[in-house]
Amino acid sequence: MISNVFTVDPWTVHEPDLDVELLGQTESLFALANGHVGMRGNLDEGEPHRMPGTYLNSFFESRPLPYAEGGFGFPDEGQTLVNVPNGKLIRLLVDDEPLDVRYGTVHAHERTLDLRSGILTRNVSWTSPNGQRVDVTSQRLVSFSQRAVAAISYEVSIPEDAGSDALLVVQSELFANEQMPQVEGDPRVAAALKDPLVPEHHSHSHYGARMTHQTRRSELRVGAAMEHQVFGPDDMQVESSCSNNVGRTTVITRLRPGHSLRIVKYLAYGWSSSRSQPAIVDQVEAALDASRYTGWDGLVAAQREYLDAFWARADVEIDGDPRLQQAIRFSLFHVLQAGARAEKRAIGAKGLTGQGYDGHSLWDTETFVLPVFMFTQPRAAGDALRWRHSTLEIAEAHAAHLGLKGAAFAWRTIRGEECSGYWPAGTAAFHVNADIADAVLRYVAATADTEFEREVGVDLLVATARLWRSLGHHDSESNFRIDGVTGPDEYSAVADNNVYTNLMAQRNLRGAADVSVRHPREAERLGVSSEEIASWRSAANAMVIPYDEKLGIHAQAEGFTSHAIWDFEHTPEDHYPLLLNYPYFDLYRKQVVKQPDLVLAMVQCPDAFTAEQKAANFAYYERITVRDSSLSPGTLAVVAAETGHLDLAYDYLCESSQMDLADLENNVRDGIHLAALASSWTAVVQGLGGMRTHNGRLTFAPRLPSSVTGLRFRLLWRGRSVHVDVGHGEATYALEEVPEQHTGPAGMAATSSEDLDLRHHDDEFTLALGEPQTFEIPSVPTRGPIEQPPGRAPLFRRMHQ
């Protein structure tokens, strides 16, 4: 288990020794990003590596999508995140011997990701093959305060007892079109592109270099620049050069024992689809100038200030399980890195940590990631939805191409066009449109941002409501049906009346009707009539929600509970995930669930189910859910906690939070599982904390499993900060001053001093600033045992048995 290589600390991820066999995993785990720039945690000298990677949000190359047999409506092109010029490279030669951990003697090698400072630190003590010992300390950051900037502090010293001086050559590089490894055998892994960047311009100064490139097919232009400050002996030599694909600053000096050489490297990145090459050069030059003006110490201080403010409003404190505490903070840190400075660009399923899923954004963002931002970093959530809004014309054109009205948003995309070449698990998964609408409604509820609702929300809600009204129909009994769609469970495709899809579409239709009434001018601009509003309400009220009376549960989709049940007993453990070992046609016609579908519906639409229905549904679907998706455990934890299975909720919470730190799916080398990390927060706050939103009100029903002795978290709600402190016998709620007002959206109406109406289990109360209230926690309802398919018990439980 990879997590065993890390020490357990509440605020750091510390790797005490280097294991080159785990480089692919640690490159993802130690990745640094800010939502605009992302850098994998490669070693400074570049080699050895598994997957080099430096990324800019939404900077991609187009590529043809091949089909053995094409079809109408299939997308012609895909989009793949591009590895932009690598500025992390700092190569060290000691008396002509390159520092390479595979050669010579490594006396010590440790790396630490500090979640409070946002800095990755590496300490290496190494003796070269010819016997010269050196110590190296590097620190790396991707700035939250200066969006286009990254920086590295690199220091080499000769130990006092080394016995002799050494000739050092440091080559700091900016390297484009790196050779990428070819990865085969897993359809989830991104396609590798060969030399996607066409050189346009290069230049150099005494201490740095600049270059611009353009992609061959998508014709996007990227600029990258580096500059250095060098601190060392007076007689050191510094020179720089630059060619089409390699910029290099070389520092040469002879270093005596007890002395050191320190280089501070500043990096700046920018891209555009429309700005000229000179404009891009000016853009990155300005960012570079700003970083040098701030200086290394200033960047470090600003990074800490930003993260201090984030943790003050977003931290989750867990007593009783140090490893879980570390994992939850690691999860929150990576979620922040994925979207903090995305600023109206997509948030990919891997963030900016790897090229898994080709760097695409999926429904994961709206359903799993944005809820974290809504309650901790609301501006980032609003910006992500504004990016969706910017792709609305593309979505409307896609819907028209499919013969539908309204907007059909892409299942997988970077810029907005559909990039999924497999329509049953792509285009047919129309629920992504309701997921976007749901995120709009949740965001407005959490922030009271009326300006956003008017400028963005109305457009998105109306366009998606029109899609559902076009996609569905009233049958002969006046019921509204949505047939031939794929829900969240990708092992059940092209089904009729998927419960999750229908409930989310119902919410979408009602939300569009309500917002059109609240904003009549915007509705008139969109041509919304009273008759259309009435048709939305009629469809929502008549929505088909399949229910199996005989079994006493909701069928995931119409006819689902009549299918044969998968032969779990005779499925070898090494045949999971099933999609890599069995044909889809066999999966589609059996009762086997890849990831929660009906159970997710109970999380997203809790008022559509009674407590008894939730318990019965959860017990039934738990027996056929194999969790072949990293999205599974966080969702299951929420419903397990709500239905009284607290120890099971804890097991799933641990599984979700350890998804990447323990590399549970054996593919973290391709990038972190952003939605799984985000759903760890959901598992804590909605699961153990019992947080829900009902008609504009926050409600809580907290209960703790035996392994957790205490839980504390904060939420931003309409400009107010709610602090929740949960123990085994009681919970305390307090209204606090918002740590940093500017994190709220511009249109937010409420202030942190206003009272807040809340509910604790069945107790309604009003919370005032500075007047905390404490309530007893009722006992857990008695429930029958819960079973998983053979061999598919929670991974956390299996690992510790």
Side-chain angles (χ1 to χ4, degrees):
M1 186 170 65
I2 186 175
S3 60
N4 289 336
V5 309
F6 302 123
T7 57
V8 179
D9 180 90
W11 284 106
T12 67
V13 178
H14 176 66
E15 179 192 50
D17 299 292
L18 179 68
D19 185 343
V20 294
E21 297 302 316
L22 296 177
L23 278 177
Q25 293 92 320
T26 56
E27 287 166 359
S28 297
L29 299 176
F30 286 142
L32 297 178
N34 61 11
H36 174 62
V37 179
M39 293 181 164
R40 282 175 64 81
N42 306 111
L43 302 181
D44 299 286
E45 51 274 11
E47 295 182 359
H49 66 248
R50 291 295 177 267
M51 174 71 75
T54 303
Y55 311 110
L56 293 180
N57 192 333
S58 299
F59 186 81
F60 70 93
E61 176 63 306
S62 302
R63 60 184 176 86
L65 282 178
Y67 298 97
E69 184 174 342
F72 181 81
F74 287 14
D76 297 322
E77 286 193 338
Q79 298 165 358
T80 298
L81 192 68
V82 169
N83 182 32
V84 301
N86 181 4
K88 301 187 296 289
L89 291 170
I90 301 179
R91 307 186 196 275
L92 171 64
L93 291 88
V94 182
D95 292 331
D96 296 327
E97 294 279 1
L99 195 166
D100 189 321
V101 295
R102 296 167 294 187
Y103 306 99
T105 302
V106 177
H107 304 284
H109 190 291
E110 60 178 2
R111 288 185 288 178
T112 302
L113 174 60
D114 191 316
L115 306 176
R116 290 171 295 187
S117 69
I119 292 175
L120 176 64
T121 301
R122 180 187 182 212
N123 292 301
V124 185
S125 183
W126 177 75
T127 296
S128 68
N130 64 13
Q132 179 63 57
R133 182 162 176 170
V134 295
D135 295 331
V136 177
T137 297
S138 69
Q139 292 184 297
R140 183 187 301 172
L141 66 83
V142 174
S143 176
F144 286 114
S145 60
Q146 297 186 31
R147 181 173 181 255
V149 169
I152 302 169
S153 172
Y154 188 88
E155 186 168 2
V156 188
S157 61
I158 307 296
E160 291 274 5
D161 59 356
S164 63
D165 59 8
L167 179 65
L168 303 185
V169 178
V170 179
Q171 296 174 319
S172 178
E173 296 185 351
L174 194 60
F175 187 14
N177 287 320
E178 294 176 279
Q179 183 177 356
M180 303 296 286
Q182 297 290 327
V183 182
E184 299 178 355
D186 189 336
R188 295 168 296 183
V189 178
L193 298 179
K194 180 176 175 58
D195 297 339
L197 300 176
V198 179
E200 278 193 328
H201 163 85
H202 63 269
S203 63
H204 68 273
S205 63
H206 184 64
Y207 285 97
R210 296 95 175 95
M211 57 178 63
T212 62
H213 292 78
Q214 193 170 38
T215 52
R216 298 179 187 277
R217 293 173 60 92
S218 61
E219 298 184 339
L220 304 181
R221 179 173 284 115
V222 60
M226 66 177 183
E227 198 72 18
H228 301 80
Q229 292 175 330
V230 184
F231 308 91
D234 292 338
D235 61 350
M236 63 185 176
Q237 177 180 313
V238 181
E239 61 182 28
S240 297
S241 63
C242 194
S243 61
N244 281 338
N245 287 324
V246 182
R248 181 180 295 119
T249 294
T250 303
V251 181
I252 306 174
T253 189
R254 184 166 290 278
L255 211 58
R256 301 193 306 273
H259 289 249
S260 63
L261 168 69
R262 179 170 178 249
I263 299 171
V264 177
K265 182 176 189 177
Y266 302 100
L267 295 160
Y269 290 94
W271 75 268
S272 175
S273 60
S274 57
R275 284 195 291 274
S276 66
Q277 176 265 319
I280 289 291
V281 172
D282 290 346
Q283 177 185 344
V284 295
E285 192 71 53
L288 205 58
D289 290 342
S291 69
R292 287 183 296 171
Y293 174 80
T294 305
W296 172 259
D297 290 342
L299 289 172
V300 168
Q303 194 84 337
R304 182 59 185 253
E305 181 182 0
Y306 187 98
L307 284 166
D308 281 348
F310 172 74
W311 291 117
R313 63 181 179 269
D315 190 23
V316 173
E317 298 174 274
I318 296 174
D319 300 331
D321 188 335
R323 190 175 294 278
L324 178 58
Q325 175 67 86
Q326 178 191 45
I328 290 297
R329 285 183 174 141
F330 171 83
S331 298
L332 276 168
F333 180 76
H334 264 292
V335 171
L336 177 70
Q337 287 199 130
R341 301 301 304 272
E343 296 175 7
K344 302 178 186 178
R345 286 183 178 153
I347 299 176
K350 298 292 185 182
L352 294 171
T353 67
Q355 289 183 255
Y357 294 110
D358 286 323
H360 292 161
S361 178
L362 298 93
W363 70 293
D364 305 21
T365 300
E366 282 78 16
T367 302
F368 299 97
V369 178
L370 294 196
V372 183
F373 282 132
M374 290 173 195
F375 293 102
T376 64
Q377 191 93 343
R379 278 190 176 177
D383 281 345
L385 290 170
R386 286 183 174 89
W387 165 72
R388 283 290 190 185
H389 184 261
S390 73
T391 70
L392 182 56
E393 288 188 9
I394 297 173
E396 289 173 333
H398 184 44
H401 187 62
L402 297 173
L404 299 169
K405 296 180 181 178
F409 285 93
W411 177 247
R412 290 180 59 159
T413 190
I414 294 178
R415 190 172 60 182
E417 295 86 355
E418 179 60 76
C419 295
S420 174
Y422 184 62
W423 68 270
T427 299
F430 284 100
H431 69 82
V432 64
N433 300 282
D435 299 326
I436 294 167
D438 179 68
V440 169
L441 295 170
R442 290 179 186 274
Y443 172 78
V444 172
T447 63
D449 188 350
T450 55
E451 182 179 317
F452 170 90
E453 183 179 64
R454 183 177 61 255
E455 295 179 352
V456 176
V458 176
D459 287 355
L460 290 175
L461 288 166
V462 167
T464 47
R466 284 172 169 165
L467 176 79
W468 297 118
R469 195 63 187 83
S470 172
L471 187 64
H473 71 282
H474 287 281
D475 62 17
S476 59
E477 297 179 353
S478 298
N479 298 311
F480 192 78
R481 304 176 55 88
I482 303 176
D483 296 329
V485 299
T486 300
D489 172 30
E490 295 169 10
Y491 287 172
S492 304
V494 196
D496 295 342
N497 294 308
N498 170 257
V499 170
Y500 177 88
T501 301
N502 284 19
L503 284 176
M504 294 290 281
Q506 183 184 63
R507 177 170 165 77
N508 190 166
L509 290 161
R510 288 172 175 164
D514 292 343
V515 80
S516 296
V517 172
R518 283 197 299 274
H519 299 282
R521 288 186 179 179
E522 282 66 31
E524 182 180 4
R525 170 176 58 82
L526 296 172
V528 176
S529 65
S530 57
E531 290 78 14
E532 187 174 23
I533 292 174
S535 76
W536 294 340
R537 295 196 192 279
S538 173
N541 293 337
M543 191 69 70
V544 172
I545 308 298
Y547 186 80
D548 189 320
E549 296 285 353
K550 184 177 180 180
L551 293 174
I553 63 162
H554 286 84
Q556 180 172 289
E558 209 165 61
F560 178 81
T561 51
S562 299
H563 294 172
I565 294 178
W566 185 268
D567 185 3
F568 300 105
E569 197 70 45
H570 295 96
T571 301
E573 189 170 342
D574 62 1
H575 277 43
Y576 292 96
L578 299 179
L579 80 162
L580 299 182
N581 294 283
Y582 297 94
Y584 272 117
F585 87 89
D586 205 16
L587 295 169
Y588 288 167
R589 62 196 185 95
K590 300 286 180 62
Q591 287 192 65
V592 55
V593 177
K594 178 184 179 184
Q595 62 205 57
D597 189 308
L598 192 284
V599 174
L600 181 60
M602 296 193 296
V603 174
Q604 298 296 86
C605 306
D607 296 338
F609 306 86
T610 67
E612 292 73 20
Q613 288 172 341
K614 290 177 183 178
N617 287 337
F618 182 64
Y620 184 88
Y621 285 95
E622 186 73 350
R623 291 195 295 269
I624 59 173
T625 299
V626 295
R627 305 194 318 285
D628 279 352
S629 165
S630 63
L631 303 180
S632 303
T635 297
L636 295 172
V638 173
V639 180
E642 184 177 2
T643 54
H645 302 283
L646 295 177
D647 289 337
L648 180 60
Y650 171 74
D651 288 343
Y652 280 141
L653 165 58
C654 291
E655 182 175 323
S656 182
S657 66
Q658 291 290 335
M659 186 63 63
D660 289 338
L661 282 175
D663 195 16
L664 297 182
E665 294 205 337
N666 299 309
N667 60 3
V668 76
R669 64 185 180 274
D670 306 320
I672 55 97
H673 297 79
L674 184 61
L677 297 180
S679 67
S680 300
W681 179 91
T682 304
V684 172
V685 174
Q686 289 190 245
L688 306 189
M691 186 274 288
R692 301 289 189 275
T693 58
H694 295 275
N695 299 320
R697 171 180 290 191
L698 272 178
T699 70
F700 298 90
R703 290 191 179 98
L704 298 183
S706 57
S707 299
V708 175
T709 57
L711 170 65
R712 292 169 297 283
F713 60 88
R714 288 176 172 83
L715 300 172
L716 292 178
W717 179 257
R718 300 186 176 184
R720 289 156 288 186
S721 179
V722 181
H723 181 246
V724 182
D725 187 340
V726 184
H728 276 281
E730 61 184 26
T732 299
Y733 303 89
L735 198 60
E736 301 177 340
E737 293 285 355
V738 176
E740 195 171 318
Q741 288 287 353
H742 74 258
T743 61
M748 192 163 58
T751 66
S752 60
S753 61
E754 294 181 7
D755 293 350
L756 189 61
D757 292 331
L758 300 174
R759 190 175 79 212
H760 167 87
H761 287 277
D762 294 328
D763 294 314
E764 308 273 352
F765 65 102
T766 299
L767 197 60
L769 187 66
E771 299 178 12
Q773 297 192 44
T774 301
F775 298 88
E776 291 186 0
I777 295 176
S779 59
V780 180
T782 302
R783 300 293 187 194
I786 293 289
E787 298 177 356
Q788 295 78 37
R792 304 306 290 170
L795 283 169
F796 178 81
R797 182 185 301 168
R798 282 186 276 157
M799 289 188 298
H800 290 79
Q801 284 178 341

